[in-house]
Amino acid sequence: MKKILSIAAAAAVAFSCIFVLGACSKEEAKKEGNKIVSDAKSYLQSELGIDGDVSDLKSSVKEAVRDELGLNNTSNQVLEGNWIPVTDTIDDWCWTFDGKNKCTLKSEPNASSAGGTYSVNKDDGTVVIQLDTWNEPVTFTYTLKTTLSDNFLKLSSETQGYNLKKEK
């Protein structure tokens, strides 16, 4: 978010300087304008590693936004799919992870559904899930197990736990 605000601030300063320079002579305006552009380029290079090319700026802003929203997390693909309870009880609900950062928890008998977001940290073996119906995100430790016939997912936190099987 800091990068996005920095870019917006740099752009705002550059545009406001253009209006101030309108009152100067043509030569003074050109000299001052070149200085402002040079300063802006130096700032972008130091903060974002951009060499002044607008196309680089556009892609860097997109990447910064995607990073901020957790959309660049390829680790999220580890949980991609529909996961149902392993138990033989009448638990008829399903976790769905889209492989990017969106998830849902649906219950067919209750006709209830909650959407949300998730982010996997493979290094820690954790997944942070925030459903719309929860007051705050919950961090789960996850364990994946693959057999010849099925994939299993165990999610456990201090207050909740799920033993799941990947739906085929």
Side-chain angles (χ1 to χ4, degrees):
M1 192 64 165
K2 180 181 174 186
K3 289 180 182 180
I4 295 169
L5 292 175
S6 297
I7 293 168
V13 168
F15 286 119
S16 63
C17 289
I18 290 171
F19 291 112
V20 171
L21 294 176
C24 300
S25 72
K26 189 175 182 180
E27 292 302 316
E28 288 175 19
K30 184 175 181 180
K31 181 180 173 185
E32 199 59 33
N34 287 339
K35 182 182 180 303
I36 291 169
V37 169
S38 176
D39 290 347
K41 282 182 179 180
S42 296
Y43 175 77
L44 290 173
Q45 276 183 315
S46 67
E47 288 294 314
L48 301 174
I50 297 171
D51 65 4
D53 186 4
V54 177
S55 63
D56 288 344
L57 177 63
K58 184 178 176 182
S59 66
S60 292
V61 169
K62 281 183 182 179
E63 283 302 306
V65 169
R66 290 182 65 78
D67 282 340
E68 227 21 71
L69 296 174
L71 299 175
N72 286 338
N73 186 354
T74 57
S75 297
N76 287 348
Q77 294 171 352
V78 110
L79 300 183
E80 186 174 4
N82 296 325
W83 299 87
I84 56 175
V86 172
T87 62
D88 292 333
T89 62
I90 308 177
D91 292 335
D92 195 8
W93 49 268
C94 178
W95 276 103
T96 301
F97 298 98
D98 73 351
K100 296 174 185 154
N101 81 322
K102 301 286 184 199
C103 64
T104 56
L105 178 59
K106 292 182 182 180
S107 172
E108 295 299 327
N110 300 333
S112 64
S113 178
T117 60
Y118 74 102
S119 181
V120 174
N121 183 330
K122 279 198 230 180
D123 296 333
D124 293 343
T126 60
V127 58
V128 177
I129 300 175
Q130 173 66 61
L131 291 180
D132 300 334
T133 56
W134 294 351
N135 292 332
E136 56 188 50
V138 177
T139 301
F140 292 92
T141 301
Y142 75 89
T143 307
L144 287 167
K145 179 180 169 187
T146 303
T147 64
L148 291 175
S149 59
D150 290 309
N151 293 314
F152 296 94
L153 170 64
K154 181 177 182 178
L155 297 173
S156 52
S157 74
E158 291 179 9
T159 58
Q160 302 176 51
Y162 300 94
N163 287 312
L164 307 166
K165 177 172 71 169
K166 194 167 193 176
E167 203 172 48
K168 295 177 182 178

